[in-house]
Amino acid sequence: MAKSMIVKKHEHDAGEVEFIHAEKAESVRSMMRSDDQFFRFAEKIKTLGDPTRLKILFALSQAELCVCDIANLLCVSNSLISHHLRLLKTMRLVRYRREGKMAFYVLDDEHIRNIFTEGFNHIEE
Amino acid sequence: MAKSMIVKKHEHDAGEVEFIHAEKAESVRSMMRSDDQFFRFAEKIKTLGDPTRLKILFALSQAELCVCDIANLLCVSNSLISHHLRLLKTMRLVRYRREGKMAFYVLDDEHIRNIFTEGFNHIEE
DNA sequence: TATACGATTGAATATATGTTCAACTGTTTA
DNA sequence: TAAACAGTTGAACATATATTCAATCGTATA
């Protein structure tokens, strides 16, 4: 109903953080990992959170493929595949080998291979 | 060295897609899942690809907590937690229960609980 | 009943991210 | 040696996403 009325916050001693359920919350706090660990973990997961990259990884879990064939397979540009492969390479999820003017990529992460071979929609993260 | 010279593309019969390594590529193509499956899978993974949500899920894997305590625990606003919880609820990763003016949330996904209890940095997706 | 409080919501913002495009590299081959 | 080709790169763009802020809801309480 009414809004923006005068507000007089309940003054609380210091600037200390107050939990409503102190015991439980403190116990959880003691289990918490560092910000950095959560951040890095999230970065790794993000790498997998894109349909195009998932397709690439799935394809590379089936066979060693050159950039060109991956692009045709997914019906997208060479350039796009190359961009994604760079990221996947940085994250050490794929490995590559040069042969003449071609570059052959393979999946280089057994955990991801398992996700795909173990049914895909079955485990589903 | 030089650039933008006249280009005469090698004309190839029809508009058919051509693989460089036809046999391998066709075999991989036959294993491919639908766009929709990749898309939905990626959506689920994306939900986990954020540090704040990971922290929330980890906290809720340790105990049932109210929004307010989660916010204090992570040193972020109530509002932010609420936004994230809505998404997590939509994705059926958390469950909640109302009690008076408070809402208590818990983790509602055993697979995620395993990821956390099995070492966190050990499996690391 | 008016105020406080926990929680939710929507709009606004800033930033991150996927995709496209054009230019370029290095290798092959005609 | 010049053209074709596989692949890479950086800038530009559009969209998605996380976070903030102010307003609001419903419940409790002084």
Coordinates of all heavy atoms in Angstrom, one line a residue, chain A residues 18-67:
Chain A
E18 N 25.5 -10.0 11.2 CA 24.7 -10.8 12.1 C 23.9 -11.8 11.4 O 23.2 -11.6 10.4 CB 23.6 -9.8 12.8 CG 24.3 -8.6 13.4 CD 24.6 -8.8 14.9 OE1 24.0 -9.8 15.4 OE2 25.4 -8.1 15.4
F19 N 24.0 -13.1 11.8 CA 23.2 -14.1 11.2 C 22.0 -14.3 12.0 O 21.9 -14.1 13.2 CB 24.0 -15.4 11.3 CG 25.2 -15.5 10.3 CD1 26.5 -15.6 10.8 CD2 25.0 -15.3 8.9 CE1 27.5 -15.6 9.9 CE2 26.0 -15.3 8.1 CZ 27.3 -15.5 8.5
I20 N 20.9 -14.7 11.3 CA 19.7 -14.9 12.0 C 19.8 -16.3 12.7 O 19.3 -16.5 13.8 CB 18.5 -14.9 11.0 CG1 18.3 -13.5 10.5 CG2 17.2 -15.4 11.7 CD1 17.1 -13.3 9.7
H21 N 20.4 -17.2 12.1 CA 20.6 -18.5 12.7 C 22.1 -18.7 12.8 O 22.7 -19.4 12.0 CB 20.0 -19.6 11.9 CG 18.5 -19.4 11.5 ND1 18.2 -18.6 10.4 CD2 17.4 -19.7 12.1 CE1 16.9 -18.5 10.4 NE2 16.3 -19.2 11.4
A22 N 22.7 -18.1 13.8 CA 24.1 -18.0 14.0 C 24.8 -19.3 13.9 O 25.8 -19.5 13.2 CB 24.4 -17.2 15.3
E23 N 24.3 -20.3 14.7 CA 25.1 -21.5 14.8 C 25.2 -22.2 13.4 O 26.3 -22.6 13.0 CB 24.3 -22.5 15.8 CG 25.2 -23.6 16.3 CD 24.6 -24.3 17.5 OE1 23.5 -23.8 18.0 OE2 25.0 -25.4 17.8
K24 N 24.1 -22.4 12.8 CA 24.1 -23.1 11.5 C 25.0 -22.3 10.5 O 25.8 -22.9 9.8 CB 22.6 -23.1 10.9 CG 22.1 -24.5 10.8 CD 20.9 -24.5 9.8 CE 19.8 -23.5 10.1 NZ 18.6 -23.7 9.3
A25 N 24.8 -21.0 10.4 CA 25.5 -20.2 9.5 C 27.0 -20.2 9.7 O 27.8 -20.3 8.8 CB 24.9 -18.7 9.5
E26 N 27.4 -20.1 11.0 CA 28.8 -20.1 11.3 C 29.4 -21.5 10.9 O 30.5 -21.5 10.4 CB 29.1 -19.9 12.8 CG 28.8 -18.4 13.2 CD 29.8 -17.4 12.6 OE1 30.7 -17.9 11.9 OE2 29.6 -16.2 12.8
S27 N 28.7 -22.5 11.1 CA 29.1 -23.8 10.7 C 29.3 -23.9 9.2 O 30.3 -24.5 8.7 CB 28.1 -24.9 11.2 OG 28.1 -26.0 10.3
V28 N 28.4 -23.4 8.5 CA 28.5 -23.4 7.0 C 29.7 -22.6 6.6 O 30.5 -22.9 5.7 CB 27.2 -22.9 6.3 CG1 27.5 -22.7 4.8 CG2 26.1 -23.8 6.6
R29 N 29.9 -21.4 7.3 CA 31.0 -20.5 6.9 C 32.3 -21.3 7.1 O 33.2 -21.1 6.3 CB 30.9 -19.3 7.8 CG 31.8 -18.2 7.3 CD 32.5 -17.4 8.4 NE 31.7 -16.5 9.2 CZ 31.4 -15.3 8.8 NH1 31.7 -14.9 7.6 NH2 30.6 -14.5 9.6
S30 N 32.4 -22.1 8.1 CA 33.7 -22.8 8.3 C 34.0 -23.8 7.3 O 35.1 -24.2 7.1 CB 33.6 -23.5 9.7 OG 32.8 -24.6 9.6
M31 N 32.9 -24.2 6.5 CA 33.1 -25.2 5.4 C 33.5 -24.5 4.1 O 33.9 -25.1 3.2 CB 31.9 -26.0 5.3 CG 31.5 -26.8 6.5 SD 32.8 -28.1 6.8 CE 32.6 -29.2 5.4
M32 N 33.2 -23.2 4.0 CA 33.3 -22.5 2.8 C 34.7 -22.5 2.2 O 35.7 -22.5 2.9 CB 32.9 -21.0 3.0 CG 31.4 -20.7 2.8 SD 31.0 -20.9 1.0 CE 29.2 -20.9 1.1
R33 N 34.8 -22.6 0.8 CA 36.0 -22.5 0.1 C 36.3 -21.1 -0.2 O 35.5 -20.2 0.0 CB 36.0 -23.4 -1.1 CG 35.6 -24.8 -0.9 CD 36.7 -25.5 0.0 NE 36.5 -27.0 0.0 CZ 35.7 -27.6 0.9 NH1 34.9 -26.9 1.7 NH2 35.6 -28.9 0.8
S34 N 37.5 -20.8 -0.7 CA 37.9 -19.4 -1.0 C 37.2 -18.9 -2.3 O 36.8 -19.7 -3.1 CB 39.4 -19.4 -1.3 OG 39.7 -20.0 -2.5
D35 N 37.0 -17.6 -2.3 CA 36.4 -17.0 -3.5 C 37.1 -17.5 -4.8 O 36.5 -17.7 -5.8 CB 36.6 -15.5 -3.4 CG 35.5 -14.8 -2.6 OD1 34.8 -15.5 -1.8 OD2 35.3 -13.6 -2.8
D36 N 38.4 -17.5 -4.7 CA 39.2 -17.9 -5.9 C 38.8 -19.3 -6.4 O 38.8 -19.6 -7.6 CB 40.7 -17.8 -5.5 CG 41.5 -17.9 -6.8 OD1 41.4 -17.1 -7.6 OD2 42.3 -18.9 -6.9
Q37 N 38.7 -20.2 -5.4 CA 38.3 -21.6 -5.8 C 36.9 -21.6 -6.5 O 36.8 -22.3 -7.5 CB 38.3 -22.5 -4.6 CG 39.6 -23.0 -4.2 CD 39.6 -23.9 -3.0 OE1 39.3 -25.1 -3.1 NE2 39.8 -23.4 -1.8
F38 N 36.0 -20.9 -6.0 CA 34.7 -20.8 -6.6 C 34.8 -20.2 -8.0 O 34.2 -20.7 -9.0 CB 33.7 -20.1 -5.8 CG 33.1 -20.9 -4.6 CD1 33.5 -20.5 -3.3 CD2 32.3 -21.9 -4.8 CE1 33.0 -21.3 -2.2 CE2 31.8 -22.7 -3.7 CZ 32.1 -22.3 -2.4
F39 N 35.6 -19.1 -8.1 CA 35.7 -18.4 -9.3 C 36.3 -19.4 -10.4 O 35.8 -19.5 -11.5 CB 36.6 -17.2 -9.2 CG 36.8 -16.4 -10.4 CD1 35.8 -15.5 -10.9 CD2 37.9 -16.6 -11.2 CE1 36.0 -14.8 -12.1 CE2 38.1 -15.9 -12.4 CZ 37.2 -15.0 -12.8
R40 N 37.4 -20.0 -10.1 CA 38.1 -20.9 -11.0 C 37.2 -22.1 -11.4 O 37.2 -22.5 -12.6 CB 39.4 -21.4 -10.5 CG 40.4 -20.2 -10.4 CD 41.9 -20.8 -10.4 NE 42.0 -22.0 -9.5 CZ 42.5 -22.0 -8.3 NH1 43.0 -20.9 -7.8 NH2 42.6 -23.1 -7.6
F41 N 36.5 -22.6 -10.5 CA 35.6 -23.7 -10.7 C 34.5 -23.2 -11.7 O 34.2 -23.9 -12.7 CB 34.9 -24.2 -9.4 CG 34.3 -25.5 -9.5 CD1 34.5 -26.4 -10.6 CD2 33.4 -25.9 -8.5 CE1 33.9 -27.6 -10.7 CE2 32.8 -27.2 -8.6 CZ 33.0 -28.0 -9.7
A42 N 34.0 -22.1 -11.5 CA 32.9 -21.5 -12.4 C 33.5 -21.3 -13.8 O 32.8 -21.6 -14.8 CB 32.3 -20.2 -11.8
E43 N 34.7 -20.8 -13.9 CA 35.3 -20.6 -15.2 C 35.3 -21.9 -16.0 O 35.0 -21.9 -17.2 CB 36.7 -20.1 -15.0 CG 36.8 -18.6 -14.6 CD 36.0 -17.7 -15.6 OE1 36.3 -17.7 -16.8 OE2 35.1 -17.0 -15.1
K44 N 35.7 -23.0 -15.3 CA 35.8 -24.3 -16.0 C 34.4 -24.7 -16.5 O 34.3 -25.2 -17.6 CB 36.4 -25.3 -15.1 CG 37.9 -25.0 -14.8 CD 38.5 -26.2 -14.1 CE 39.9 -25.9 -13.7 NZ 40.7 -27.0 -13.1
I45 N 33.5 -24.6 -15.6 CA 32.1 -25.0 -16.0 C 31.6 -24.1 -17.2 O 31.0 -24.7 -18.1 CB 31.2 -24.9 -14.8 CG1 31.7 -25.9 -13.7 CG2 29.7 -25.2 -15.2 CD1 30.8 -25.8 -12.4
K46 N 31.9 -22.8 -17.1 CA 31.4 -21.9 -18.2 C 31.8 -22.4 -19.5 O 31.1 -22.2 -20.5 CB 32.0 -20.5 -17.9 CG 30.9 -19.5 -17.4 CD 31.5 -18.2 -17.3 CE 31.5 -17.7 -15.9 NZ 32.0 -16.3 -15.7
T47 N 33.1 -22.9 -19.6 CA 33.6 -23.4 -20.9 C 32.7 -24.4 -21.5 O 32.6 -24.5 -22.7 CB 35.0 -24.1 -20.6 OG1 35.8 -23.2 -19.9 CG2 35.6 -24.4 -22.0
L48 N 32.0 -25.2 -20.7 CA 31.1 -26.2 -21.2 C 29.7 -25.7 -21.4 O 28.8 -26.4 -22.0 CB 31.0 -27.4 -20.2 CG 32.4 -28.1 -19.9 CD1 32.2 -29.2 -18.9 CD2 33.0 -28.6 -21.2
G49 N 29.4 -24.5 -21.0 CA 28.0 -24.0 -21.0 C 27.6 -23.3 -22.3 O 26.9 -22.4 -22.2
D50 N 28.1 -23.8 -23.4 CA 27.7 -23.3 -24.7 C 27.4 -24.4 -25.7 O 28.2 -25.3 -25.8 CB 28.9 -22.4 -25.2 CG 28.6 -21.9 -26.6 OD1 27.8 -20.9 -26.7 OD2 29.2 -22.5 -27.5
P51 N 26.3 -24.3 -26.4 CA 25.9 -25.4 -27.3 C 26.9 -25.7 -28.4 O 27.2 -26.9 -28.6 CB 24.6 -24.9 -27.9 CG 24.2 -23.8 -27.1 CD 25.3 -23.2 -26.4
T52 N 27.5 -24.6 -28.9 CA 28.5 -24.8 -30.0 C 29.7 -25.6 -29.5 O 30.2 -26.5 -30.1 CB 28.9 -23.5 -30.6 OG1 27.7 -22.8 -31.0 CG2 29.8 -23.7 -31.8
R53 N 30.2 -25.2 -28.3 CA 31.3 -25.8 -27.7 C 31.0 -27.3 -27.4 O 31.8 -28.2 -27.5 CB 31.9 -25.1 -26.6 CG 32.8 -23.9 -27.0 CD 33.6 -23.4 -25.8 NE 32.8 -22.8 -24.8 CZ 32.4 -21.5 -24.7 NH1 32.7 -20.7 -25.7 NH2 31.7 -21.1 -23.7
L54 N 29.8 -27.5 -26.8 CA 29.4 -28.9 -26.5 C 29.4 -29.7 -27.8 O 29.9 -30.9 -27.7 CB 28.0 -28.9 -25.9 CG 27.9 -28.6 -24.4 CD1 26.5 -28.7 -23.9 CD2 28.8 -29.5 -23.6
K55 N 28.9 -29.2 -28.9 CA 28.9 -29.9 -30.1 C 30.3 -30.3 -30.6 O 30.6 -31.4 -31.0 CB 28.2 -29.1 -31.2 CG 26.7 -29.0 -31.0 CD 26.1 -28.2 -32.2 CE 24.7 -27.6 -31.8 NZ 24.2 -26.8 -32.9
I56 N 31.2 -29.3 -30.5 CA 32.5 -29.5 -30.9 C 33.2 -30.6 -30.0 O 33.8 -31.6 -30.6 CB 33.4 -28.2 -30.7 CG1 32.9 -27.2 -31.7 CG2 34.9 -28.5 -30.9 CD1 33.6 -25.8 -31.5
L57 N 33.0 -30.5 -28.7 CA 33.6 -31.5 -27.8 C 33.0 -32.9 -28.1 O 33.7 -33.9 -28.1 CB 33.3 -31.1 -26.4 CG 34.1 -29.9 -25.9 CD1 33.6 -29.4 -24.5 CD2 35.6 -30.2 -25.8
F58 N 31.7 -32.9 -28.3 CA 31.1 -34.2 -28.6 C 31.7 -34.8 -29.9 O 32.0 -36.0 -29.9 CB 29.6 -34.1 -28.8 CG 28.9 -35.4 -29.1 CD1 28.6 -36.3 -28.1 CD2 28.5 -35.7 -30.4 CE1 28.0 -37.5 -28.3 CE2 27.9 -36.9 -30.7 CZ 27.6 -37.8 -29.6
A59 N 31.8 -34.0 -30.9 CA 32.3 -34.5 -32.2 C 33.7 -35.0 -32.0 O 34.1 -36.1 -32.5 CB 32.3 -33.4 -33.2
L60 N 34.5 -34.2 -31.3 CA 35.9 -34.6 -31.0 C 36.0 -35.8 -30.1 O 37.1 -36.4 -30.0 CB 36.7 -33.5 -30.5 CG 36.9 -32.3 -31.5 CD1 37.7 -31.2 -30.8 CD2 37.5 -32.7 -32.8
S61 N 34.9 -36.1 -29.4 CA 35.0 -37.4 -28.6 C 34.8 -38.6 -29.4 O 35.0 -39.7 -29.0 CB 33.9 -37.3 -27.5 OG 32.6 -37.6 -28.0
Q62 N 34.3 -38.4 -30.7 CA 34.0 -39.5 -31.6 C 35.2 -39.7 -32.5 O 35.4 -40.9 -32.9 CB 32.8 -39.2 -32.4 CG 31.5 -38.9 -31.6 CD 31.0 -40.1 -30.9 OE1 31.0 -41.2 -31.4 NE2 30.7 -39.9 -29.6
A63 N 35.9 -38.7 -32.9 CA 37.0 -38.8 -33.8 C 37.9 -37.6 -33.9 O 37.5 -36.5 -33.4 CB 36.5 -39.1 -35.2
E64 N 39.1 -37.8 -34.4 CA 40.0 -36.7 -34.6 C 39.5 -36.0 -35.9 O 39.3 -36.6 -36.9 CB 41.4 -37.2 -34.8 CG 42.4 -36.1 -34.9 CD 43.8 -36.7 -35.3 OE1 43.9 -37.3 -36.4 OE2 44.8 -36.4 -34.6
L65 N 39.4 -34.7 -35.8 CA 38.8 -34.0 -36.9 C 39.6 -32.7 -37.2 O 40.1 -32.1 -36.3 CB 37.3 -33.6 -36.7 CG 36.3 -34.8 -36.6 CD1 35.0 -34.3 -36.0 CD2 36.1 -35.4 -37.9
C66 N 39.6 -32.3 -38.5 CA 40.2 -31.0 -38.8 C 39.1 -29.9 -38.7 O 37.9 -30.2 -38.7 CB 40.7 -31.0 -40.2 SG 39.5 -31.2 -41.5
V67 N 39.6 -28.7 -38.5 CA 38.7 -27.5 -38.3 C 37.6 -27.5 -39.4 O 36.4 -27.2 -39.0 CB 39.5 -26.2 -38.3 CG1 38.6 -25.0 -38.2 CG2 40.6 -26.2 -37.2

